[in-house]
Structures are given as structure tokens and as C-alpha cells.
Amino acid sequence: MLLYLNGLFVGLLILANIVAVKLFSIGHLAVLPAAVVIYIFTYPIVDVIVEVYGKETGRKTVQAGLITQVLALIFIFIAIQLPAAPVFGHQSEFKTILGGSFRVIVASLASYAVSQNLDVFVFNKLKKKHGTKKLWLRNNASTMLSQLVDTTIFIAIAFMGTMPLAVLVTLIFTQYVFKFLASIVATPIVYLLVSVTRKQESKNNAQGSSAVS
């Protein structure tokens, strides 16, 4: 199961980076990047990994995600620089969608590295305190805190100096409210994934014991 969780985590990260250029609106309340719809699910996955496999495994998952994102950016840059074939008439659109700005890329990587490691740290601290009880508390507490840090760091690095401070605060607030509510909605998913993962690990351990004996 760990292999599948890691694959899902990394896949969602890369997908979030690709769709980040698209903005959508929730009525007149907020304008958000499409990436948030995907990115909010990466935190529950890390929480499930820490819950079942421990802090060190969760930390390695976060590290693998960072390395994969950097590699993806390198290969996307190479793909953009490759000379376009005469029959490919969308080079500018391709560059616009996948290129991004250096500042936004730095903001994304910095916010990811800090917030995801914070999520692992807080979740593990609460797990040590409560054991297997109160999964809903450590899941929501770690995710809500780390998402606040993620949103603040990203918007500050990406947009500081390009717009008034009041607008930046509004952006942080509206994005965080969306992530906050999404974290609550995703709680049953965490319980389901933890249950499925534990059952699968128990099954694997039982099969391993039978094979040895």
C-alpha cells in the first residue's frame, strides 16, 4: 500500500503544478488556482502514511515529492526549449501553460517544503500524545496549520510587491478558508485510507509469516 500511496501523492503534486495556471471563481467570493482542488488531497495522504508507517516514512515521502517536482520542472524546461516542429503551431501556448514564472516556481517549492514537513511533524507529535485515538484531531490540526503556512508562504513569495498588502491578505484568507473547509470534508477519506491500508498491511504480514513457516 505504501507504494500506491507514494505514487498517488507524487502524481497529485505534479498534476497540481500543471493545472496551477488555471484560475476559477466561487461566485464573487474568491478567485482560486485550480491547483488547490488537487493539492488539498496531498496532506491527507501524508497523514495516512505517518499514521500507519511512521514519521520517518512520511518525511521520506515529502522528500521524494520535492525531488520529483524539481525533476519535473527541469524536464518541462527542456521540453519548452526543444525546437518546435513546423507542424506544431502552439509553442507559445505550450510555454504559457507549462512555463510559469521563476518567482512562482520558487514560491511553490518553498511553501511545499515547509508546510508538508510541518504537517508530518505536528501529526506525529499528536499521534505520540493520543496513540491510535483522535485521528480526526491530528489530521485536521496538522493539515489546517500546515495549509495556513503553505498559503501564506506561497502568496507572500509569489506576489509580495506586485499588489497592495490588503489584497495579499484577502488572497491568503480566501484560499485558506477553502482549504480549511476541504480539510474537514476530507476527514472521512483519511479514516477510510487508514483502515484499508492497515488491513492490507495485516494481510501482507500474515502472508509473510505463513511463507516463512
Side-chain angles (χ1 to χ4, degrees):
M1 276 299 292
L2 180 59
L3 223 66
Y4 293 107
L5 290 171
N6 280 331
L8 182 60
F9 176 77
V10 171
L12 289 177
L13 283 178
I14 301 304
L15 184 58
N17 287 336
I18 292 174
V19 305
V21 67
K22 169 69 180 290
L23 298 176
F24 72 97
S25 59
I26 302 177
H28 298 290
L29 299 176
V31 175
L32 304 168
V36 300
V37 177
I38 301 169
Y39 192 60
I40 55 176
F41 290 104
T42 62
Y43 289 91
I45 294 173
V46 170
D47 289 347
V48 170
I49 291 173
V50 178
E51 175 71 16
V52 179
Y53 301 100
K55 176 185 176 182
E56 187 60 25
T57 303
R59 189 189 64 78
K60 288 180 179 178
T61 295
V62 171
Q63 187 178 61
L66 180 62
I67 293 171
T68 305
Q69 287 183 91
V70 172
L71 288 174
L73 291 171
I74 292 172
F75 283 113
I76 287 173
F77 175 78
I78 292 173
I80 291 173
Q81 300 308 312
L82 291 173
V87 295
F88 184 69
H90 305 288
Q91 175 64 16
S92 60
E93 291 88 345
F94 183 81
K95 181 178 180 180
T96 299
I97 295 298
L98 295 180
S101 71
F102 178 76
R103 186 170 176 178
V104 170
I105 291 171
V106 170
S108 177
L109 293 177
S111 60
Y112 167 84
V114 175
S115 65
Q116 291 283 5
N117 279 294
L118 177 63
D119 182 65
V120 171
F121 175 79
V122 174
F123 188 96
N124 185 65
K125 280 289 185 182
L126 293 173
K127 182 172 173 58
K128 285 182 177 179
K129 182 177 180 180
H130 299 128
T132 57
K133 298 177 180 179
K134 298 183 179 179
L135 173 58
W136 63 270
L137 176 61
R138 54 183 171 275
N139 165 58
N140 282 288
S142 62
T143 299
M144 289 173 181
L145 176 60
S146 55
Q147 294 244 30
L148 177 60
V149 171
D150 173 80
T151 305
T152 303
I153 292 177
F154 176 79
I155 291 179
I157 295 177
F159 304 113
M160 184 70 75
T162 65
M163 56 184 69
L165 181 59
V167 176
L168 288 178
V169 172
T170 301
L171 280 175
I172 292 172
F173 177 75
T174 53
Q175 286 201 28
Y176 181 66
V177 168
F178 178 85
K179 293 176 179 179
F180 182 94
L181 296 174
S183 174
I184 296 174
V185 172
T187 299
I189 298 176
V190 174
Y191 272 88
L192 176 62
L193 285 176
V194 167
S195 176
V196 170
T197 303
R198 281 181 171 153
K199 287 180 181 177
Q200 186 61 47
E201 289 302 316
S202 296
K203 182 180 178 181
N204 292 341
N205 291 336
Q207 289 175 344
S209 299
S210 299
V212 171
S213 59

